[in-house]
mmCIF file with all atom_site columns, all heavy atoms in Angstrom:
data_model
loop_
_atom_site.group_PDB
_atom_site.id
_atom_site.type_symbol
_atom_site.label_atom_id
_atom_site.label_alt_id
_atom_site.label_comp_id
_atom_site.label_asym_id
_atom_site.label_entity_id
_atom_site.label_seq_id
_atom_site.pdbx_PDB_ins_code
_atom_site.Cartn_x
_atom_site.Cartn_y
_atom_site.Cartn_z
_atom_site.occupancy
_atom_site.B_iso_or_equiv
_atom_site.pdbx_formal_charge
_atom_site.auth_seq_id
_atom_site.auth_comp_id
_atom_site.auth_asym_id
_atom_site.auth_atom_id
_atom_site.pdbx_PDB_model_num
ATOM 1  N N   . HIS A 1 354 ? 10.624 -36.289 -5.448 1.00 85.00 ? 377 HIS A N   1
ATOM 2  C CA  . HIS A 1 354 ? 11.338 -35.548 -6.480 1.00 85.00 ? 377 HIS A CA  1
ATOM 3  C C   . HIS A 1 354 ? 11.980 -34.273 -5.938 1.00 85.00 ? 377 HIS A C   1
ATOM 4  O O   . HIS A 1 354 ? 12.527 -33.488 -6.710 1.00 85.00 ? 377 HIS A O   1
ATOM 5  C CB  . HIS A 1 354 ? 10.379 -35.198 -7.621 1.00 85.00 ? 377 HIS A CB  1
ATOM 6  C CG  . HIS A 1 354 ? 9.625  -36.378 -8.146 1.00 85.00 ? 377 HIS A CG  1
ATOM 7  N ND1 . HIS A 1 354 ? 10.147 -37.249 -9.075 1.00 85.00 ? 377 HIS A ND1 1
ATOM 8  C CD2 . HIS A 1 354 ? 8.388  -36.856 -7.842 1.00 85.00 ? 377 HIS A CD2 1
ATOM 9  C CE1 . HIS A 1 354 ? 9.273  -38.196 -9.337 1.00 85.00 ? 377 HIS A CE1 1
ATOM 10 N NE2 . HIS A 1 354 ? 8.197  -37.983 -8.608 1.00 85.00 ? 377 HIS A NE2 1
ATOM 11 N N   . CYS A 1 355 ? 11.915 -34.080 -4.621 1.00 86.00 ? 378 CYS A N   1
ATOM 12 C CA  . CYS A 1 355 ? 12.418 -32.845 -4.027 1.00 86.00 ? 378 CYS A CA  1
ATOM 13 C C   . CYS A 1 355 ? 13.883 -32.992 -3.589 1.00 86.00 ? 378 CYS A C   1
ATOM 14 O O   . CYS A 1 355 ? 14.473 -34.061 -3.663 1.00 86.00 ? 378 CYS A O   1
ATOM 15 C CB  . CYS A 1 355 ? 11.543 -32.448 -2.836 1.00 86.00 ? 378 CYS A CB  1
ATOM 16 S SG  . CYS A 1 355 ? 9.887  -31.896 -3.317 1.00 86.00 ? 378 CYS A SG  1
ATOM 17 N N   . SER A 1 356 ? 14.431 -31.889 -3.132 1.00 86.00 ? 379 SER A N   1
ATOM 18 C CA  . SER A 1 356 ? 15.828 -31.857 -2.709 1.00 86.00 ? 379 SER A CA  1
ATOM 19 C C   . SER A 1 356 ? 16.008 -32.632 -1.406 1.00 86.00 ? 379 SER A C   1
ATOM 20 O O   . SER A 1 356 ? 15.046 -32.843 -0.655 1.00 86.00 ? 379 SER A O   1
ATOM 21 C CB  . SER A 1 356 ? 16.271 -30.408 -2.506 1.00 86.00 ? 379 SER A CB  1
ATOM 22 O OG  . SER A 1 356 ? 15.560 -29.824 -1.420 1.00 86.00 ? 379 SER A OG  1
ATOM 23 N N   . PRO A 1 357 ? 17.242 -33.057 -1.107 1.00 84.00 ? 380 PRO A N   1
ATOM 24 C CA  . PRO A 1 357 ? 17.487 -33.784 0.152  1.00 84.00 ? 380 PRO A CA  1
ATOM 25 C C   . PRO A 1 357 ? 17.053 -32.997 1.383  1.00 84.00 ? 380 PRO A C   1
ATOM 26 O O   . PRO A 1 357 ? 16.551 -33.579 2.344  1.00 84.00 ? 380 PRO A O   1
ATOM 27 C CB  . PRO A 1 357 ? 19.001 -34.012 0.131  1.00 84.00 ? 380 PRO A CB  1
ATOM 28 C CG  . PRO A 1 357 ? 19.366 -34.000 -1.316 1.00 84.00 ? 380 PRO A CG  1
ATOM 29 C CD  . PRO A 1 357 ? 18.440 -32.998 -1.957 1.00 84.00 ? 380 PRO A CD  1
ATOM 30 N N   . ALA A 1 358 ? 17.249 -31.683 1.364  1.00 83.00 ? 381 ALA A N   1
ATOM 31 C CA  . ALA A 1 358 ? 16.881 -30.873 2.533  1.00 83.00 ? 381 ALA A CA  1
ATOM 32 C C   . ALA A 1 358 ? 15.384 -30.928 2.788  1.00 83.00 ? 381 ALA A C   1
ATOM 33 O O   . ALA A 1 358 ? 14.931 -31.100 3.927  1.00 83.00 ? 381 ALA A O   1
ATOM 34 C CB  . ALA A 1 358 ? 17.331 -29.430 2.329  1.00 83.00 ? 381 ALA A CB  1
ATOM 35 N N   . VAL A 1 359 ? 14.587 -30.788 1.727  1.00 84.00 ? 382 VAL A N   1
ATOM 36 C CA  . VAL A 1 359 ? 13.130 -30.820 1.881  1.00 84.00 ? 382 VAL A CA  1
ATOM 37 C C   . VAL A 1 359 ? 12.666 -32.233 2.216  1.00 84.00 ? 382 VAL A C   1
ATOM 38 O O   . VAL A 1 359 ? 11.773 -32.427 3.044  1.00 84.00 ? 382 VAL A O   1
ATOM 39 C CB  . VAL A 1 359 ? 12.443 -30.293 0.605  1.00 84.00 ? 382 VAL A CB  1
ATOM 40 C CG1 . VAL A 1 359 ? 10.938 -30.493 0.674  1.00 84.00 ? 382 VAL A CG1 1
ATOM 41 C CG2 . VAL A 1 359 ? 12.764 -28.816 0.410  1.00 84.00 ? 382 VAL A CG2 1
ATOM 42 N N   . ARG A 1 360 ? 13.275 -33.241 1.602  1.00 82.00 ? 383 ARG A N   1
ATOM 43 C CA  . ARG A 1 360 ? 12.894 -34.627 1.897  1.00 82.00 ? 383 ARG A CA  1
ATOM 44 C C   . ARG A 1 360 ? 13.155 -34.972 3.359  1.00 82.00 ? 383 ARG A C   1
ATOM 45 O O   . ARG A 1 360 ? 12.375 -35.692 3.985  1.00 82.00 ? 383 ARG A O   1
ATOM 46 C CB  . ARG A 1 360 ? 13.651 -35.606 0.995  1.00 82.00 ? 383 ARG A CB  1
ATOM 47 C CG  . ARG A 1 360 ? 13.180 -35.605 -0.438 1.00 82.00 ? 383 ARG A CG  1
ATOM 48 C CD  . ARG A 1 360 ? 13.514 -36.929 -1.118 1.00 82.00 ? 383 ARG A CD  1
ATOM 49 N NE  . ARG A 1 360 ? 14.923 -37.293 -0.978 1.00 82.00 ? 383 ARG A NE  1
ATOM 50 C CZ  . ARG A 1 360 ? 15.873 -36.964 -1.833 1.00 82.00 ? 383 ARG A CZ  1
ATOM 51 N NH1 . ARG A 1 360 ? 15.564 -36.233 -2.903 1.00 82.00 ? 383 ARG A NH1 1
ATOM 52 N NH2 . ARG A 1 360 ? 17.133 -37.340 -1.649 1.00 82.00 ? 383 ARG A NH2 1
ATOM 53 N N   . ALA A 1 361 ? 14.241 -34.449 3.896  1.00 80.00 ? 384 ALA A N   1
ATOM 54 C CA  . ALA A 1 361 ? 14.567 -34.745 5.289  1.00 80.00 ? 384 ALA A CA  1
ATOM 55 C C   . ALA A 1 361 ? 13.497 -34.207 6.230  1.00 80.00 ? 384 ALA A C   1
ATOM 56 O O   . ALA A 1 361 ? 13.142 -34.850 7.226  1.00 80.00 ? 384 ALA A O   1
ATOM 57 C CB  . ALA A 1 361 ? 15.931 -34.150 5.641  1.00 80.00 ? 384 ALA A CB  1
ATOM 58 N N   . ILE A 1 362 ? 12.972 -33.028 5.900  1.00 76.00 ? 385 ILE A N   1
ATOM 59 C CA  . ILE A 1 362 ? 11.929 -32.436 6.745  1.00 76.00 ? 385 ILE A CA  1
ATOM 60 C C   . ILE A 1 362 ? 10.631 -33.220 6.625  1.00 76.00 ? 385 ILE A C   1
ATOM 61 O O   . ILE A 1 362 ? 9.978  -33.559 7.608  1.00 76.00 ? 385 ILE A O   1
ATOM 62 C CB  . ILE A 1 362 ? 11.709 -30.960 6.348  1.00 76.00 ? 385 ILE A CB  1
ATOM 63 C CG1 . ILE A 1 362 ? 12.992 -30.159 6.576  1.00 76.00 ? 385 ILE A CG1 1
ATOM 64 C CG2 . ILE A 1 362 ? 10.565 -30.359 7.147  1.00 76.00 ? 385 ILE A CG2 1
ATOM 65 C CD1 . ILE A 1 362 ? 12.972 -28.788 5.928  1.00 76.00 ? 385 ILE A CD1 1
ATOM 66 N N   . LEU A 1 363 ? 10.260 -33.544 5.393  1.00 70.00 ? 386 LEU A N   1
ATOM 67 C CA  . LEU A 1 363 ? 8.986  -34.211 5.162  1.00 70.00 ? 386 LEU A CA  1
ATOM 68 C C   . LEU A 1 363 ? 8.999  -35.667 5.582  1.00 70.00 ? 386 LEU A C   1
ATOM 69 O O   . LEU A 1 363 ? 7.957  -36.247 5.879  1.00 70.00 ? 386 LEU A O   1
ATOM 70 C CB  . LEU A 1 363 ? 8.628  -34.122 3.671  1.00 70.00 ? 386 LEU A CB  1
ATOM 71 C CG  . LEU A 1 363 ? 8.190  -32.749 3.191  1.00 70.00 ? 386 LEU A CG  1
ATOM 72 C CD1 . LEU A 1 363 ? 8.130  -32.707 1.685  1.00 70.00 ? 386 LEU A CD1 1
ATOM 73 C CD2 . LEU A 1 363 ? 6.836  -32.392 3.763  1.00 70.00 ? 386 LEU A CD2 1
ATOM 74 N N   . SER A 1 364 ? 10.171 -36.288 5.607  1.00 65.00 ? 387 SER A N   1
ATOM 75 C CA  . SER A 1 364 ? 10.235 -37.702 5.948  1.00 65.00 ? 387 SER A CA  1
ATOM 76 C C   . SER A 1 364 ? 10.044 -37.949 7.434  1.00 65.00 ? 387 SER A C   1
ATOM 77 O O   . SER A 1 364 ? 9.766  -39.075 7.848  1.00 65.00 ? 387 SER A O   1
ATOM 78 C CB  . SER A 1 364 ? 11.578 -38.284 5.506  1.00 65.00 ? 387 SER A CB  1
ATOM 79 O OG  . SER A 1 364 ? 11.699 -38.238 4.102  1.00 65.00 ? 387 SER A OG  1
ATOM 80 N N   . ASP A 1 365 ? 10.231 -36.937 8.242  1.00 54.00 ? 388 ASP A N   1
ATOM 81 C CA  . ASP A 1 365 ? 10.078 -37.092 9.686  1.00 54.00 ? 388 ASP A CA  1
ATOM 82 C C   . ASP A 1 365 ? 8.592  -37.012 10.030 1.00 54.00 ? 388 ASP A C   1
ATOM 83 O O   . ASP A 1 365 ? 8.046  -35.952 10.292 1.00 54.00 ? 388 ASP A O   1
ATOM 84 C CB  . ASP A 1 365 ? 10.855 -35.992 10.411 1.00 54.00 ? 388 ASP A CB  1
ATOM 85 C CG  . ASP A 1 365 ? 10.874 -36.212 11.912 1.00 54.00 ? 388 ASP A CG  1
ATOM 86 O OD1 . ASP A 1 365 ? 10.212 -37.159 12.375 1.00 54.00 ? 388 ASP A OD1 1
ATOM 87 O OD2 . ASP A 1 365 ? 11.547 -35.439 12.610 1.00 54.00 ? 388 ASP A OD2 1
#
Side-chain angles (χ1 to χ4, degrees):
H377 308 277
C378 290
S379 66
V382 172
R383 287 204 308 269
I385 298 167
L386 287 169
S387 296
D388 187 355

